[in-house]
Amino acid sequence: MKRALVTGGSAGLGAAFARRLAPGGFDIVILDRHQPRPAEPHADFLQCDLASRSELDRTLPELIAAGPYDAVILNAGISATGRFEAISAQTHIDVLRVNTEAPMVIAARLLEAGALNPGAMMVFVSSLSHFTGYPGAASYAASKDALAVYARSLRKVARSCGVTITVAFPGPLRTDHAEMHSPEGADAGKRMDPDLAAGLIMGDALAGRKHSIPGRGNRLVAIAGRVMPKSMTALMRRLVYQRLRP
């Protein structure tokens, strides 16, 4: 059996990745602070709050011992929305720890320990915000931007171990976490189903592609963000920031 690690795999996009991997013959290890729901595929579960570096450091030996892995999906992420100065410093720190520091540390330690099999794939889940401004979620955008840059810088090292790296840039998803941080009155039906996003990202990762932007609409947003950054940031301000709950 092949082994797969999914961080943040108990719900949302992470659970969708687990559902995609299970029929492909993968034994799955889920790293999350919450137990997977009973309806999700069976998986070995390691509990860890990735906002705590000491907790992550205590969990790493067990995480490494659960390998070696043929797929590592570094998906766990949290957000914080609102006026920057109204969000507590600790919340900003937690976002950076979960979204950036934790996947950086996990990836580095797994490679250092030889805990990935030759031919393994590693997926870093960044965000469509990498391509455009995200007023109202500055620390989230910064954390996901930093993760994408780190993943690119790690490619040469990973390649020497026979490991491919794909950076995924999903847009808005139909998840409970996204709903919690969405603007008031936002239409959840316009967000992508996480199972669809996971399938498209997995297809790109299995094909060895360096990047994955799931969905034609998201790819158009990424292009527009590169070509018209000021206009796209102004649009995001109207669509997101000005409609956020107080």
Side-chain angles (χ1 to χ4, degrees):
M1 291 289 287
K2 296 176 286 186
R3 297 282 279 173
L5 167 65
V6 182
T7 69
S10 293
L13 182 60
F17 278 122
R19 288 192 292 270
R20 288 283 175 176
L21 287 161
F26 284 89
D27 276 340
I28 300 167
V29 176
I30 286 176
L31 181 71
D32 205 313
R33 61 177 176 170
H34 299 300
Q35 284 271 2
R37 297 166 183 168
E40 300 299 345
H42 172 75
D44 295 329
F45 175 67
L46 294 177
Q47 189 167 34
C48 180
D49 183 356
L50 295 178
S52 167
R53 178 58 190 272
S54 60
E55 197 169 321
L56 173 58
D57 287 342
R58 286 196 301 271
T59 307
L60 277 169
E62 191 175 359
L63 189 66
I64 291 168
Y69 301 102
D70 300 279
V72 173
I73 315 296
L74 297 166
N75 158 83
I78 59 174
S79 190
T81 51
R83 293 185 178 276
F84 185 87
E85 66 277 10
I87 299 171
S88 72
Q90 187 59 54
T91 298
H92 288 301
I93 290 169
D94 288 348
V95 168
L96 292 168
R97 282 180 172 164
V98 174
N99 296 3
T100 309
E101 182 184 47
M104 288 172 66
V105 170
I106 292 170
R109 295 291 81 81
L110 291 178
L111 287 167
E112 180 183 61
L116 291 104
N117 286 321
M121 61 181 180
M122 186 178 288
V123 178
F124 288 81
V125 179
S126 179
S127 167
L128 192 62
S129 65
H130 175 69
F131 299 99
T132 183
Y134 197 170
S139 53
Y140 173 84
S143 70
K144 290 297 190 178
D145 198 52
L147 184 64
V149 174
Y150 173 80
R152 288 200 297 268
S153 73
L154 198 62
R155 278 207 179 96
K156 188 174 181 179
V157 173
R159 195 180 303 120
S160 69
C161 301
V163 176
T164 61
I165 288 180
T166 299
V167 187
F169 303 96
L173 297 172
R174 204 176 307 143
T175 65
D176 292 341
H177 191 75
E179 177 65 27
M180 185 168 59
H181 292 282
S182 65
E184 192 148 9
D187 183 1
K190 293 181 179 179
R191 302 187 205 120
M192 181 175 283
D193 180 83
D195 284 285
L196 174 58
L200 294 171
I201 292 167
M202 287 300 304
D204 287 336
L206 289 166
R209 297 190 178 96
K210 293 181 178 180
H211 302 106
S212 177
I213 305 176
R216 182 173 179 272
N218 289 330
R219 290 193 291 274
L220 291 174
V221 169
I223 293 169
R226 291 302 195 203
V227 176
M228 304 176 295
K230 289 185 178 181
S231 297
M232 286 301 295
T233 298
L235 178 62
M236 289 289 286
R237 179 180 292 277
R238 290 197 301 273
L239 293 179
V240 179
Y241 183 72
Q242 293 177 353
R243 297 169 59 195
L244 285 172
R245 299 173 181 88

